[in-house]
Amino acid sequence: MLLKSLLPAAAAVQMAAAQELMRFGCSQLTIDRIDPLVEPGNLPSAHMHQIIGGNSLNASMAPVDHDPPTVSTCTSCTYSEDFSNYWTANLYFRARNGTYKRVPQFANLGLGVQAGMTVYYIRGYSPSATVKAFPAGFRMLVGDPMNRAAATMQKGLCYRCEANMEQNPFGGAPCTGQDTQAFPKQACGGGWRVSVHFPTCWDGKNLDSPDHKSHVAYPASGTFESGGACPSTHPVRMPQIMYEIMFDTRAFNNKAEWPADGSQPFVWSMNDTTGFGLHGDYLFGWKGDALQRAMDGKCSGDRCAPLQRQTDQAAIDCVKSQSVKEDIGDQWLTGLPGW
Ligand SMILES: *[C@@H]1O[C@H](CO)[C@@H](O)[C@H](O)[C@H]1NC(C)=O
Ligand SMILES: *[C@@H]1O[C@H](CO)[C@@H](O)[C@H](O)[C@H]1NC(C)=O
Ligand SMILES: *[C@@H]1O[C@H](CO)[C@@H](O)[C@H](O)[C@H]1NC(C)=O
């Protein structure tokens, strides 16, 4: 770990590639107040999201009936057979005078997309293991937008305060070292890296569950990273999905604009000032058996022979207009959208 923590980001990415880790960029598809997983059909949903992936995204995407690869005409992800949708809350800065501005996102190191997120599908660390791709209609949620305490936060959700835009020092694997469950308390010269890991074991039957979580689980002992086995209730081993969202907080580092008591000024779109409400939503939408081919082919990085890749520009060009027309906060807002 010591060695890894001293490695610059590019080397760490290479090391990760040796562990069969797909890592690819997806540009922003839209920023919209919809939530097809937790609040299907609600226009608007309770809070604002930033969303990437297939442009068949809409407020109500019934499992199986709404088939993203069939209904989409483009995707904002560079792997062009991936019409899945991925989303998280948006981040806002609350100035001392009580007005809000959206914190922009930026592409991760080495990726040519715009804003959006970096998506990982990690096959795992035991080469002989069978890893099953998600079935059509599968979806899941990690984290809880209502959570406001560290103790009740799901695992694998964290923040890294980057010292500079080169992400140097790299700081080791996500959610280790200096990474925090709470929002960073200090001004960060290179913005934030927000990591969201999903559970990796499936019950093998249900595409979803009432809380969008019970059909998936964590390894029974050990961790995904240590090759821990899935529990008997959720025996099917899936790839580990991870999102990285890079937020450019640099325009908001002037302490004179921070709360007078010195507390941190950032807030998630569900009015969470703690950071413990971090959550991510996943709605599977790979075409045919493309994801299974990627797993069987031990794909790494954002170029892999069994998969088709479009240009970064084609991914950037795939955008979707808002279903709920409202100001997303690129100018000062008097309140958070919906609050
Ligand atoms: C969402 O897409 C489906 C097609 O799968 C369509 O039938 C439905 O009308 C759309 N809903 C909205 C709210 O646009
Ligand atoms: C609130 O503070 C921001 C940041 O300094 C400033 O740009 C904006 O004009 C202020 N708004 C009002 C209404 O004072
Ligand atoms: C938003 O959160 C802040 C800080 O926790 C709280 O003071 C405020 O009342 C909340 N706003 C609403 C509309 O609930």
Side-chain angles (χ1 to χ4, degrees):
M1 274 340 274
L2 179 63
L3 174 66
K4 197 169 177 182
S5 70
L6 295 174
L7 286 173
V13 167
Q14 249 172 22
M15 230 169 91
Q19 291 164 336
E20 296 156 12
L21 180 152
M22 285 166 73
R23 173 188 188 266
F24 56 95
C26 301
S27 282
Q28 206 72 65
L29 178 71
T30 191
I31 292 178
D32 202 352
R33 206 134 62 80
I34 60 172
D35 190 337
L37 179 58
V38 176
E39 296 180 68
N42 282 5
L43 289 165
S45 61
H47 58 265
M48 189 79 105
H49 289 116
Q50 60 86 17
I51 310 172
I52 58 171
N55 72 341
S56 74
L57 172 83
N58 78 20
S60 45
M61 302 172 74
V64 186
D65 287 353
H66 182 110
D67 183 39
T70 310
V71 203
S72 296
T73 55
C74 68
T75 173
S76 75
C77 294
T78 46
Y79 277 127
S80 50
E81 292 158 288
D82 182 13
F83 300 97
S84 306
N85 288 117
Y86 311 83
W87 66 94
T88 71
N90 293 71
L91 189 65
Y92 287 88
F93 168 75
R94 185 175 187 273
R96 192 176 287 193
N97 64 19
T99 62
Y100 297 83
K101 202 167 191 178
R102 188 176 72 89
V103 180
Q105 291 153 234
F106 63 100
N108 215 331
L109 283 182
L111 301 177
V113 293
Q114 273 174 16
M117 300 197 258
T118 311
V119 175
Y120 291 72
Y121 284 81
I122 307 168
R123 193 181 176 284
Y125 299 79
S126 41
S128 57
T130 305
V131 176
K132 190 172 171 358
F134 308 96
F138 181 88
R139 62 261 326 263
M140 61 180 163
L141 169 70
V142 66
D144 176 359
M146 309 298 280
N147 183 50
R148 296 291 180 271
T152 45
M153 201 170 178
Q154 236 173 301
K155 61 173 149 181
L157 307 174
C158 65
Y159 303 87
R160 180 168 299 180
C161 176
E162 300 284 2
N164 53 55
M165 296 304 276
E166 290 72 47
Q167 299 179 24
N168 198 356
F170 177 60
C175 305
T176 63
Q178 307 291 306
D179 291 3
T180 54
Q181 286 178 288
F183 281 147
K185 298 203 175 350
Q186 69 277 41
C188 303
W192 294 1
R193 185 169 81 181
V194 179
S195 298
V196 175
H197 296 79
F198 286 80
T200 52
C201 302
W202 179 44
D203 70 8
K205 293 191 281 283
N206 297 294
L207 298 176
D208 195 1
S209 47
D211 62 358
H212 314 291
K213 294 180 179 182
S214 314
H215 59 312
V216 294
Y218 297 98
S221 60
T223 59
F224 176 80
E225 289 79 5
S226 67
C230 284
S232 58
T233 50
H234 297 76
V236 182
R237 189 186 157 93
M238 310 179 296
Q240 183 177 59
I241 295 186
M242 180 175 86
Y243 304 165
E244 274 174 2
I245 316 106
M246 306 302 303
F247 285 107
D248 192 350
T249 55
R250 290 176 300 167
F252 309 108
N253 279 351
N254 177 5
K255 289 280 178 80
E257 291 298 336
W258 287 33
D261 67 2
S263 59
Q264 73 81 32
F266 295 98
V267 51
W268 282 125
S269 49
M270 60 281 184
N271 195 37
D272 172 21
T273 55
T274 66
F276 301 133
L278 173 56
H279 61 288
D281 298 70
Y282 174 64
L283 207 143
F284 173 84
W286 284 79
K287 187 174 180 181
D289 66 349
L291 182 60
Q292 190 65 58
R293 278 188 274 121
M295 291 297 111
D296 296 346
K298 303 190 173 174
C299 281
S300 282
D302 69 347
R303 286 175 172 78
C304 181
L307 294 178
Q308 293 170 23
R309 190 199 196 278
Q310 61 183 348
T311 61
D312 293 339
Q313 190 58 49
I316 292 168
D317 289 344
C318 184
V319 293
K320 173 131 191 156
S321 60
Q322 283 182 312
S323 316
V324 178
K325 307 281 180 221
E326 65 186 337
D327 194 336
I328 60 173
D330 290 344
Q331 306 302 326
W332 295 100
L333 296 175
T334 55
L336 290 171
W339 287 84

